[in-house]
Amino acid sequence: MPPRKRPPQPTNASETPPEVKTRISPPSKLCAAAPPAPGPAPSVSILPANILGSFPPPEREIYKLVFSGGDKGMTQTDIRIKMGMTASTLTKHMRALVNTKGVLKVVTNVHKRGEKIYMDARVDPSPEITGGTWYRNGQLDSEAVASVRLRCLDQVEKLGVATADSILSGISRDYPSVGYSIEQIRDILRTMALDMVLEEVRSTGVGEFSDLRAGRVCYRRGGAPQGGMMEGIPCGVCPRIDECSPEGVISPSTCVYYKKWLQMDF
Amino acid sequence: MVSQHGILLAAGIIFDHFGPLVSKVCRCLLRHGALPLQEIVRRLDLSPGQVKNSLLVLIQHNCVQAFSSPRGGGDKTATHYLAIFDNILHRLRFSKFLSVIRADIPESEALLEGLLHNGRLTFDQLVERAIYKVTEGSIRPAREEIRMNFNKLVYAHYVERCPKPEPFVDPLQDEQPTSTRKRVPKTVGKDLSFDKKVVNTAALSDAEKFSEIPYITEDASHANDSPHSAIAGAKRKHEALGVDEELNSTIAENEVLWRANFEKFIFCLKKKFCAERKKPKLRVGTRPIWEAFFEANLTNKDDNSVTSPLNGILARVGQKEGGTSMTIDHVTRVLEELNCSPSSEDPDAFTLDLSRIVEASRYEEMESLVKKKYGQEAFTIFRLLVTQDCPVETDKIIDTTILDKQIVHGTLYKLWKDDYIDSERIASGTGTGNSQFFVWRVKNTFQEQFIDNLYHAALNLRQMINYIIELLLEGSKDETKLRHRKNILILALTRHDDSLMLFHDF
Ligand code: SF4
């Protein structure tokens, strides 16, 4: 099976506004140009020949095909196309492989609820399908996310400037039972930088960074939020601005937002 | 090209200052670009006299530049008139320009005011004005004193000699190199618009622009002069001057037209904006160094950077609270942390690139608006799209922001519907389980649209001010209340103009 293809860049991608702020690097599992080819988790190998030999040939082939999909599995449609079977024949075989023999399992894709994905029963589905650690039963575990964010912030406040590693070790020391992975912490820190709760900076190795090797990515408290120059006047945030014109039905002299803003009764 | 509401705003400003006829002519030029007189007459159905007078007003106030360009195949030329949008909008900020001078050369404020009020004047006219303005009982200023204060403005580049009245510009000649230049990387040479080329051709060289009025003996014919003209510190070079200098001086005083140099004022406001903008973000203890850096700035090599000598910075730091205990090492390290790097020309000076602060501020404004209008999640998603160089796939947005899928879908749809972002459907390869993907990116026209909204908001503020003025004239209801509202609106427009400058002029 080919690796999951990333969408190509639209041609005028270069016209996106220039980026001037600290770039927020994409999460580790997504940053590679092409994602790693799906494959069975290293600890799981294909069923031994003696077991496979006992399967009817079509089921043996289906099993091998699904196994090659690794932790990303395979949809029923893809299996049907590749096997060149009718839907009803395939359903019969799938039922046998999943229910009777128990060598395959069905997983729901977090991104496409209606879609069933088959994979080797012993393989853990990839985070791309389950939604990763922040998902429980296909739903985002907002509470878990909120609590780890708080813990990260706590550490940054304690340390001033901190790397993901030092934040993780701080959390592990303060809450020995939680057991986050470094990837999880990195992902959370990145979203916090996006939200500007934290600021992502590179250590210069001097001053406040004197304990950190120059060039390391660190986090510190984000500064006071800036911006909002337009928000002081009604038109700055007006949802109807496109319909508003001097002589139009919606116009400044008849505008309710202005009336309210100026507390006028005209 | 100026956006639709930008044109309406500019025409509105001209309407308020010079009336409907001049505004009509100005709007026509902004809409259609440079035009010859007959063409304006034809399009507006006005008499040539009316158009001519309007153009004269606009030229006097630096809102229009005339130029001649070839007509037909022969040697004939025709005069065209080009509206200068930026200069029209600067009319909103005269009070800000005056406050720059008040802080820097307060004794010259009245002179600048005269120039802003009248557009362009000779030095003689300025002297007349200064004397006319003297209130009873106060001392009449000496011509020499006025000249000295005037030269200070010229020396500091706040005032310049007016551009050539009607330079020759050939649009065809200008277009040819443009097509080849397009292929050159942007850093090599900026692609100038035709309007900009006209303005550049008309402009004098810096040496000409800022050449001060020479000092000469006072001519007995200068009846305006008061007898006590010897001002301490004024250098008389009487003996050294020959007839030529005397002639130059007479021309500089009686014939040369002077005007405010808007570029310099905009640069001062930009510098101030950047200095203030970063202050709330500064770490403890770095603020005095940041302030000292800006205070020590003397000259600038371009409009995008501030350079200050280290000695000057240290001297200023020393005057600040807690500054005496700071070592050179500490100051230089903090300067570097603040993105002030050693200047390439002078190793003992530090340079700060203002364009980075401006660019970041623009994004902050746009993001902040997204947050206000659509909420925190939209802010996060929008920032993700802004910080990525390429379009981002829906699933990746969900993964990176760790937001609920439904919320991400809903927010993307809202942002897309309101033209903030673009989406593209990508057919996926087989075997992926999905038949298509959606990728998203910030719309490339977003910033222009945002600026157009800024102009629109300014236009509306202006309309509201006029509306209240009308109510006041009608003598209706509560006058004090209305006056109060009017002041709130005028103040709001002045503040809002900071956003216009940030997005258009800085
Ligand atoms: S005048 Fe009123 S309706 Fe028009 S854009 Fe402003 S706030 Fe919106």
Side-chain angles (χ1 to χ4, degrees):
Chain A
M1 188 180 113
R4 184 181 177 205
K5 222 167 129 191
R6 290 279 140 189
Q9 251 177 251
T11 40
N12 47 353
S14 60
E15 284 166 35
T16 2
E19 189 270 314
V20 284
K21 298 182 192 172
T22 325
R23 184 180 305 269
I24 292 157
S25 34
S28 43
K29 62 177 183 268
L30 290 160
C31 65
S43 54
V44 178
S45 45
I46 197 156
L47 288 173
N50 56 349
I51 299 184
L52 284 182
S54 66
F55 291 3
E59 283 176 23
R60 197 183 311 147
E61 289 315 306
I62 293 173
Y63 170 81
K64 280 186 189 162
L65 181 65
V66 172
F67 182 82
S68 73
D71 58 0
K72 303 247 176 1
M74 202 165 281
T75 65
Q76 182 147 0
T77 324
D78 282 340
I79 304 172
R80 188 168 52 77
I81 293 168
K82 288 194 177 135
M83 297 298 299
M85 281 177 182
T86 63
S88 56
T89 324
L90 181 68
T91 313
K92 198 180 77 203
H93 290 309
M94 293 317 281
R95 212 174 283 148
L97 285 164
V98 175
N99 301 341
T100 326
K101 303 193 172 68
V103 291
L104 292 185
K105 67 177 170 186
V106 184
V107 185
T108 5
N109 183 348
V110 69
H111 298 301
K112 288 185 120 192
R113 287 289 166 70
E115 191 176 77
K116 281 181 189 170
I117 289 182
Y118 292 90
M119 65 181 63
D120 188 302
R122 302 159 299 164
V123 170
D124 286 331
S126 84
E128 220 169 288
I129 290 163
T130 59
T133 31
W134 308 114
Y135 284 79
R136 194 186 290 162
N137 307 327
Q139 291 280 355
L140 180 72
D141 189 348
S142 311
E143 256 171 51
V145 174
S147 88
V148 67
R149 280 173 69 108
L150 262 181
R151 284 168 184 166
C152 288
L153 189 61
D154 224 31
Q155 294 301 322
V156 173
E157 303 229 300
K158 265 189 218 164
L159 298 164
V161 191
T163 60
D165 292 317
S166 56
I167 292 170
L168 175 61
S169 44
I171 295 177
S172 318
R173 195 179 49 239
D174 294 351
Y175 309 92
S177 61
V178 290
Y180 299 118
S181 72
I182 188 68
E183 277 73 30
Q184 285 177 313
I185 295 296
R186 285 211 178 101
D187 288 352
I188 289 291
L189 290 173
R190 271 185 213 104
T191 68
M192 293 177 80
L194 264 187
D195 290 348
M196 295 176 103
V197 175
L198 296 181
E199 190 187 356
E200 193 177 278
V201 275
R202 275 192 190 275
S203 163
T204 55
V206 286
E208 61 177 329
F209 302 106
S210 52
D211 294 342
L212 301 158
R213 189 162 33 83
R216 287 200 72 178
V217 175
C218 340
Y219 295 86
R220 63 182 176 200
R221 216 38 235 257
Q226 299 248 298
M229 286 161 77
M230 273 78 70
E231 289 147 34
I233 49 169
C235 309
V237 286
C238 178
R240 317 290 295 268
I241 192 158
D242 290 340
E243 302 153 57
C244 179
S245 67
E247 315 296 336
V249 183
I250 300 181
S251 86
S253 40
T254 58
C255 170
V256 283
Y257 304 110
Y258 256 116
K259 262 188 206 173
K260 213 170 134 197
W261 189 59
L262 288 172
Q263 298 166 342
M264 275 182 80
D265 41 0
F266 50 122
Chain B
M1 202 57 196
V2 184
S3 76
Q4 189 203 347
H5 288 98
I7 293 178
L8 290 176
L9 175 63
I13 295 170
I14 295 297
F15 186 99
D16 294 345
H17 295 181
F18 306 117
L21 266 186
V22 185
S23 165
K24 230 173 157 183
V25 172
C26 178
R27 188 163 162 174
C28 173
L29 292 179
L30 285 168
R31 277 254 152 86
H32 305 288
L35 292 176
L37 178 70
Q38 309 84 317
E39 193 54 32
I40 309 172
V41 170
R42 193 183 66 79
R43 283 175 194 258
L44 295 181
D45 209 11
L46 294 172
S47 77
Q50 285 172 315
V51 174
K52 217 182 243 174
N53 285 339
S54 302
L55 286 172
L56 284 177
V57 171
L58 290 166
I59 292 173
Q60 170 71 24
H61 286 276
N62 306 304
C63 300
V64 159
Q65 170 71 49
F67 65 95
S68 63
S69 81
R71 185 177 49 177
D75 292 340
K76 283 189 192 155
T77 60
T79 307
H80 284 67
Y81 298 91
L82 173 78
I84 304 171
F85 176 77
D86 292 6
N87 287 3
I88 300 171
L89 253 69
H90 290 332
R91 303 189 65 79
L92 280 177
R93 13 201 113 116
F94 283 177
S95 60
K96 292 177 189 166
F97 297 168
L98 283 168
S99 64
V100 169
I101 289 296
R102 204 170 304 136
D104 192 7
I105 319 176
E107 61 276 22
S108 304
E109 187 183 339
L111 290 172
L112 178 74
E113 198 188 356
L115 285 176
L116 291 176
H117 234 257
N118 296 284
R120 26 179 88 179
L121 291 177
T122 63
F123 177 70
D124 256 356
Q125 288 169 322
L126 269 173
V127 171
E128 257 173 54
R129 188 180 178 275
I131 286 165
Y132 177 76
K133 287 250 163 178
V134 172
T135 48
E136 223 167 285
S138 48
I139 313 162
R140 249 170 39 144
R143 189 183 179 91
E144 182 90 357
E145 186 188 357
I146 300 175
R147 188 193 293 124
M148 199 170 71
N149 289 342
F150 182 78
N151 274 345
K152 284 183 198 164
L153 288 175
V154 181
Y155 179 75
H157 292 196
Y158 288 120
V159 162
E160 62 179 14
R161 294 180 186 226
C162 285
K164 294 168 208 152
E166 195 185 328
F168 177 80
V169 184
D170 186 350
L172 291 178
Q173 249 182 17
D174 285 307
E175 262 163 32
Q176 277 158 356
T178 326
S179 57
T180 45
R181 203 181 296 156
K182 268 193 181 138
R183 270 173 246 129
V184 179
K186 270 213 168 129
T187 44
V188 174
K190 273 191 193 159
D191 235 351
L192 293 181
S193 68
F194 178 65
D195 295 7
K196 195 94 192 116
K197 273 171 201 158
V198 171
V199 172
N200 285 356
T201 319
L204 306 174
S205 70
D206 274 6
E208 290 171 291
K209 260 194 215 172
F210 305 116
S211 112
E212 297 161 47
I213 300 176
Y215 290 103
I216 54 152
T217 347
E218 267 173 14
D219 190 333
S221 68
H222 289 153
N224 296 330
D225 282 5
S226 64
H228 46 87
S229 53
I231 310 282
K235 279 173 253 150
R236 295 283 189 87
K237 294 181 189 165
H238 172 50
E239 293 81 17
L241 290 170
V243 183
D244 274 359
E245 277 90 345
E246 225 170 300
L247 188 66
N248 279 342
S249 174
T250 316
I251 292 173
E253 293 194 4
N254 305 335
E255 285 172 30
V256 171
L257 281 169
W258 301 86
R259 65 173 191 179
N261 175 17
F262 293 143
E263 277 174 29
K264 167 77 180 185
F265 285 104
I266 290 293
F267 178 69
C268 292
L269 293 174
K270 173 167 160 177
K271 206 163 77 172
K272 190 165 161 233
F273 172 88
C274 291
E276 291 299 320
R277 182 79 177 195
K278 234 181 141 170
K279 263 188 201 169
K281 282 189 190 162
L282 297 178
R283 314 261 135 207
V284 188
T286 55
R287 186 184 277 227
I289 298 172
W290 179 251
E291 285 172 352
F293 171 77
F294 278 95
E295 287 164 16
N297 165 240
L298 296 172
T299 50
N300 295 294
K301 62 177 195 314
D302 57 46
D303 285 350
N304 268 327
S305 61
V306 174
T307 304
S308 301
L310 184 58
N311 280 343
I313 302 172
L314 291 172
R316 307 268 173 168
V317 168
Q319 292 160 9
K320 306 210 176 264
E321 216 186 299
T324 34
S325 57
M326 291 182 189
T327 61
I328 296 192
D329 266 4
H330 175 75
V331 173
T332 48
R333 203 183 60 226
V334 171
L335 282 171
E336 283 182 24
E337 265 173 38
L338 293 169
N339 289 327
C340 305
S341 45
S343 159
S344 51
E345 279 139 36
D346 175 6
D348 291 327
F350 280 79
T351 297
L352 172 73
D353 181 6
L354 297 182
S355 56
R356 280 177 64 181
I357 302 179
V358 167
E359 199 73 2
S361 305
R362 288 182 184 162
Y363 277 106
E364 279 163 1
E365 291 301 329
M366 296 192 281
E367 290 160 7
S368 159
L369 190 71
V370 167
K371 187 171 183 170
K372 178 96 182 177
K373 274 177 119 169
Y374 305 94
Q376 174 67 42
E377 287 86 2
F379 170 78
T380 311
I381 295 171
F382 188 77
R383 268 182 52 77
L384 171 69
L385 297 184
V386 164
T387 47
Q388 300 290 303
D389 283 333
C390 56
V392 190
E393 179 195 339
T394 319
D395 286 354
K396 187 176 165 187
I397 296 175
I398 296 171
D399 289 342
T400 315
T401 57
I402 319 188
L403 288 171
D404 182 78
K405 198 180 71 176
Q406 304 296 341
I407 292 178
V408 171
H409 281 282
T411 310
L412 284 172
Y413 176 71
K414 270 191 253 163
L415 290 175
W416 171 80
K417 198 169 89 313
D418 287 357
D419 275 342
Y420 283 64
I421 56 175
D422 251 346
S423 86
E424 200 170 332
R425 188 197 302 247
I426 308 279
S428 85
T430 49
T432 57
N434 288 328
S435 56
Q436 61 186 25
F437 292 102
F438 280 96
V439 290
W440 309 82
R441 63 155 167 258
V442 175
K443 231 178 156 149
N444 43 37
T445 54
F446 177 67
Q447 191 154 326
E448 283 137 56
Q449 194 200 323
F450 190 89
I451 296 175
D452 191 53
N453 282 349
L454 288 181
Y455 290 139
H456 195 165
L459 188 70
N460 287 351
L461 273 169
R462 187 200 139 261
Q463 199 187 334
M464 281 305 283
I465 294 169
N466 288 347
Y467 177 65
I468 294 199
I469 291 174
E470 259 172 49
L471 290 181
L472 276 166
L473 285 176
E474 282 169 14
S476 69
K477 307 185 225 171
D478 194 341
E479 201 183 305
T480 345
K481 213 170 160 188
L482 281 180
R483 273 187 203 290
H484 180 59
R485 304 284 185 275
K486 193 182 100 187
N487 291 340
I488 294 180
L489 287 165
I490 291 176
L491 191 68
L493 181 56
T494 314
R495 286 222 189 104
H496 181 68
D497 174 57
D498 287 346
S499 313
L500 296 184
M501 286 197 287
L502 169 63
F503 278 87
H504 182 76
D505 302 276
F506 290 170

